[in-house]
Structure formats: C-alpha cells, structure tokens
C-alpha cells in the first residue's frame, strides 16, 4: 500500500531532507585524497545529531554505521572504516538517511576524489542526468514505468549497465515503503498521485549489469569490478512540479 503524505508529513520530510542535504554539502567540501570513510561517517553523524535528527541507517537491518560509503566498483551499502582511505582518482558514493520527528529523508551522491579519468566523469554525469530526467516524470497521472523508463533511456544512450536487484522506493515514516521502483521498465502502470513520496536512485555501471554482495554481507559490488555510480533524491508528487525533498531549504529551518 502506498501512503499519501499529509501536510505535516511533508513539512517533516523537507526538514529531514534539508539535514541530509547539509551532510552532502559538507561531504562535497571534505572529500579529498587521504580522508577515511570513517571520518566521513563521523562528520555525517555530527551534522545529523546537531540538527536533532537520527541517522536512519544505523541499526537498519543491523547496518553498523551512519552512512554508506561505496568506492569505485562498489555500488551501494559499503561500510565506513578507519582503514579505508580515499585516494586520488577514486569515486565514492555516499548514501545518507536522516529521520526527523519520525519522517525520513534519503539521498545519495557520487563524489570525485581529486582528479578522475574521463570515463568515470562520464559515468557520474550520466547517472546524475538519469536521476533528474526521472524526477521530471514524478507528476500526477504519470505511471511508475515513466519514472523507470527515464532512467533506462539515459543508461541505454550512454551504454551503461543498470543494476537490476536494487532500486528506488517509497519513503516516509519508514525508509523503505511501497512502491518499489525499478531503474528499467517493467510494465508497472501504478498511477502517481499527489502526496506520494518516492526515493529515486539510479545505480549505473561502466560495465555489465551484474552485482553481488561481498563477504562482509553488506557491500554490493559489480561482478566485473568496473565502476558504478549512485545518485538519489527523495521526491514528492504535488499538484504541479515535482518537489525534491532532499534539498537545502533556502531560508534554513524554521
Ligand atoms: Mg539512500
Ligand atoms: Mg534509498
């Protein structure tokens, strides 16, 4: 069942989303060669707690950290660690969830570490573009397949692999609510209605589609070890333009 968000839910989700966006703003500033993913986790935790929110991922199905950090061929769910040090030429996907007054914001971004090669930049640009083309489809009366299809079209045009086993999801009082959102068309004609909030999260690969879970039982990596990028926003269907919930509120929080 898909929950429509009330006015109060939306207010809290924008608040949660603002906090997530504050974390990403800081990630963009601090990510450079030499920093550990554990340091990124600590910084994120500090910002989330300072703003009276909780890190949604901590303890979720037993996840042992505040954020997910996935490097290069790692797709999602990488665990921050002191001995994982970012180096020049890496890309790192940082996934952040914050719960504020019972409602969740969920957003991921892939960052370049120093100078990266052109193929990695192309992968990042295309995955970000896939996200924003999908966001444009989040309008009342459209169907879920329209959103999925926008991601798929961008991936196909750029000849990128599409992660099949993971995708977007409804978001609100829980991080993962109905519906599941594939990053490729599956024929889902579920109609989008005002008040639906969905986390759209294309995960695209420089190589093939296939991914597998590593020995730590969390980190998902590409099987061919080629790089993967991940961009995500939580987005609300309104009576007009889609509203990105995981962005900075211009005048700050009230
Ligand atoms: Mg996420
Ligand atoms: Mg998500």
């Amino acid at each position: 069942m898909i929950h429509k968000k009330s006015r109060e839910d939306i207010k809290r989700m924008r608040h949660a989303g603002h906090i997530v966006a504050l974390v990403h703003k800081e990630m963009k500033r601090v990510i450079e060669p030499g920093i550990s993913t554990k340091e990124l986790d600590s910084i994120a935790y500090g910002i989330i707690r300072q703003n009276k929110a909780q890190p949604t991922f901590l303890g979720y199905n037993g996840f042992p950290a505040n954020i997910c950090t996935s490097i290069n061929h790692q797709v999602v769910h990488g665990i921050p660690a002191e001995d994982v040090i970012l180096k020049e030429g890496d890309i790192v996907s940082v996934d952040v969830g914050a719960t504020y007054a019972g409602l969740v914001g969920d957003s991921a971004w892939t960052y370049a570490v120093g100078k990266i090669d052109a193929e990695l930049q192309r992968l990042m640009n295309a995955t970000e573009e896939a996200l924003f083309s999908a966001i444009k489809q989040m309008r009342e009366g459209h169907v879920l397949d329209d959103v999925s299809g926008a991601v798929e079209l961008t991936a196909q045009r750029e000849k990128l692999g599409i992660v099949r086993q993971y995708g977007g999801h409804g978001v609100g009082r829980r991080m993962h609510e109905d519906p599941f959102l594939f990053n490729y068309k599956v024929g889902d004609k579920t109609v989008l209605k005002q008040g639906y909030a969905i986390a759209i999260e294309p995960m695209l690969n420089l190589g093939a589609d296939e991914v597998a879970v590593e020995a730590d039982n969390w980190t998902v990596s590409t099987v061919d070890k080629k790089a993967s990028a991940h961009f995500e926003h939580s987005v609300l269907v309104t009576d007009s333009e889609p509203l990105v919930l995981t962005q900075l509120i211009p005048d700050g929080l009230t």
Side-chain angles (χ1 to χ4, degrees):
M1 180 188 164
I2 305 175
H3 295 286
K4 280 194 183 186
K5 272 62 195 179
S6 68
R7 193 181 286 263
E8 181 60 28
D9 290 341
I10 293 163
K11 195 177 158 194
R12 293 179 189 185
M13 288 183 81
R14 291 194 74 182
H15 199 123
H18 175 83
I19 296 164
V20 170
L22 285 174
V23 173
H24 278 298
K25 189 179 172 194
E26 188 63 7
M27 293 293 114
K28 188 178 166 66
R29 198 179 74 79
V30 301
I31 286 174
E32 59 177 16
I35 196 165
S36 74
T37 54
K38 179 73 183 173
E39 286 173 84
L40 300 181
D41 186 89
S42 301
I43 291 165
Y45 180 76
I47 294 168
I48 292 168
R49 295 298 295 151
Q50 266 165 32
N51 286 282
K52 301 180 174 59
Q54 288 83 41
T56 313
F57 300 172
L58 183 65
Y60 188 88
N61 292 333
F63 188 74
N66 300 295
I67 59 173
C68 301
T69 51
S70 309
I71 299 169
N72 298 334
H73 68 281
Q74 297 174 344
V75 181
V76 286
H77 305 164
I79 302 169
E82 238 166 284
D83 60 354
V84 177
I85 312 289
L86 298 179
K87 56 184 198 304
E88 181 92 17
D90 285 343
I91 60 172
V92 59
S93 301
V94 179
D95 199 344
V96 181
T99 306
Y100 176 80
L103 283 116
V104 174
D106 183 13
S107 172
W109 216 256
T110 301
Y111 299 93
V113 183
K115 257 183 87 68
I116 60 170
D117 78 37
E119 271 297 272
L120 291 175
Q121 191 63 56
R122 183 177 73 86
L123 170 69
M124 285 175 53
N125 292 350
T127 310
E128 184 177 351
E129 186 192 332
L131 170 61
F132 283 94
S133 68
I135 290 172
K136 283 192 191 143
Q137 296 297 323
M138 284 283 286
R139 303 185 76 97
E140 200 164 28
H142 286 195
V143 297
L144 277 181
D145 236 25
D146 295 328
V147 184
S148 301
V151 173
E152 185 174 32
L153 199 67
T154 309
Q156 285 174 338
R157 194 197 67 213
E158 292 290 326
K159 300 194 165 40
L160 297 170
I162 300 173
V163 174
R164 307 271 158 175
Q165 294 96 318
Y166 301 87
H169 49 90
V171 58
R173 291 186 182 277
R174 299 163 56 88
M175 178 159 62
H176 293 128
E177 297 184 350
D178 287 341
F180 185 79
L181 176 70
F182 289 88
N183 283 316
Y184 55 99
K185 282 182 136 183
V186 292
D188 192 331
K189 302 298 181 198
T190 303
V191 177
L192 298 176
K193 294 179 181 161
Q194 193 179 332
Y196 284 9
I198 297 176
I200 303 172
E201 47 181 314
M203 287 153 259
L204 302 183
N205 303 338
L206 269 184
D209 298 347
E210 285 72 29
V211 298
V213 179
E214 290 185 17
D216 65 9
N217 281 323
W218 278 107
T219 311
V220 176
S221 294
T222 58
V223 170
D224 62 14
K225 302 293 179 208
K226 291 189 177 168
S228 185
H230 180 207
F231 287 80
E232 175 183 33
H233 269 311
S234 303
V235 183
L236 180 76
V237 179
T238 75
D239 59 358
S240 59
E241 298 295 313
L243 177 66
V244 175
L245 297 164
T246 36
Q247 63 182 331
L248 295 174
I249 298 171
D251 300 327
L253 298 173
T254 53

